[in-house]
Amino acid sequence: MHENWQVVIPEKRLKARVKELAEEISAYYRGKELTVVAILSGSLIFLGDLVKSLSLDVKIEVIKATSYGNGMRPQGEVRLETPGKMTAAGQDVLILDDIVDTGRTLEAVQKFLRARRPKSLKTCALLSKPARREVSVKVDFLGFEIEDRFVVGYGLDYAGKFRSLPFIAALPDPSLVIRHSSSQ
Ligand code: IMP
Ligand code: MG
């Protein structure tokens, strides 16, 4: 199944870079307790791998952001939901996302958290597509910059699929994917 994918970042490179990011983050927050706010669902696999390599006391919170629906283009407005009350007040908070595309999701989550008065607020993303940026957001800890192509795997999905691939791959012709899934 894997040989048909056009791999953009192989598993080994992902692992190595995630470990490096964890070291950078651990060095930056040394001696502090860190609250990681993971943006669901795309950052789940990244979150799991990253926190295992952090040498810090870590709290994990999640926030669900919806902007994509089932398509490949953003729908503009970002909706946010939290499973419970998010208390970020006085904490060192690091927002974790899978990919920064237009920047709107990260901007919305930053705004949401800033209003809760954290002690500090930084951002971390596995991937960034700078060519697609519509609002300027700072990514303090970034895994990889990639070209403007729709990618899946390692948490990233297309219409809810392909999140469990262990590598990042470019989506093959979406019409093939739809035909394939509807013939199941
Ligand atoms: P933004 O708000 O446009 O920056 O979009 C961020 C969200 O869109 C990410 O957290 C992803 O969930 C989704 N997204 C953007 N580009 C891709 C992609 O290439 N593959 C899968 N999801 C993507
Ligand atoms: Mg996402």
Side-chain angles (χ1 to χ4, degrees), residues 26-165:
S26 298
Y28 183 82
Y29 291 101
R30 193 177 314 268
K32 295 181 177 162
E33 185 188 72
L34 180 64
T35 302
V36 176
V37 177
I39 305 179
L40 299 180
S41 303
S43 71
L44 277 177
I45 294 179
F46 179 38
L47 169 76
D49 283 349
L50 185 86
V51 293
K52 282 185 286 181
S53 296
L54 289 176
S55 44
L56 297 167
D57 289 332
V58 174
K59 279 175 44 180
I60 298 173
E61 300 272 0
V62 292
I63 187 163
K64 173 116 189 119
T66 320
S67 65
Y68 256 70
N70 280 339
M72 287 176 44
R73 289 293 169 209
Q75 293 163 338
E77 192 210 341
V78 179
R79 280 182 299 136
L80 301 179
E81 279 171 73
T82 56
K85 199 162 166 265
M86 173 90 65
T87 49
Q91 301 176 29
D92 288 300
V93 175
L94 179 66
I95 303 170
L96 205 69
D97 204 2
D98 53 357
I99 184 165
V100 185
D101 187 35
T102 65
R104 292 192 189 281
T105 302
L106 200 54
E107 184 189 52
V109 174
Q110 268 181 321
K111 202 172 153 204
F112 175 88
L113 287 168
R114 213 175 279 128
R116 280 153 185 81
R117 306 256 165 250
K119 187 159 123 205
S120 70
L121 185 62
K122 298 255 170 209
T123 58
C124 173
L126 180 69
L127 306 173
S128 171
K129 284 196 262 192
R132 296 250 315 145
R133 207 70 92 245
E134 288 172 15
V135 294
S136 108
V137 282
K138 185 160 180 258
V139 184
D140 299 293
F141 303 96
L142 176 65
F144 302 90
E145 249 182 40
I146 61 166
E147 292 171 21
D148 179 12
R149 290 158 89 187
F150 199 86
V151 290
V152 295
Y154 200 73
L156 290 102
D157 75 307
Y158 171 70
K161 291 168 62 174
F162 314 124
R163 290 196 201 275
S164 62
L165 295 175

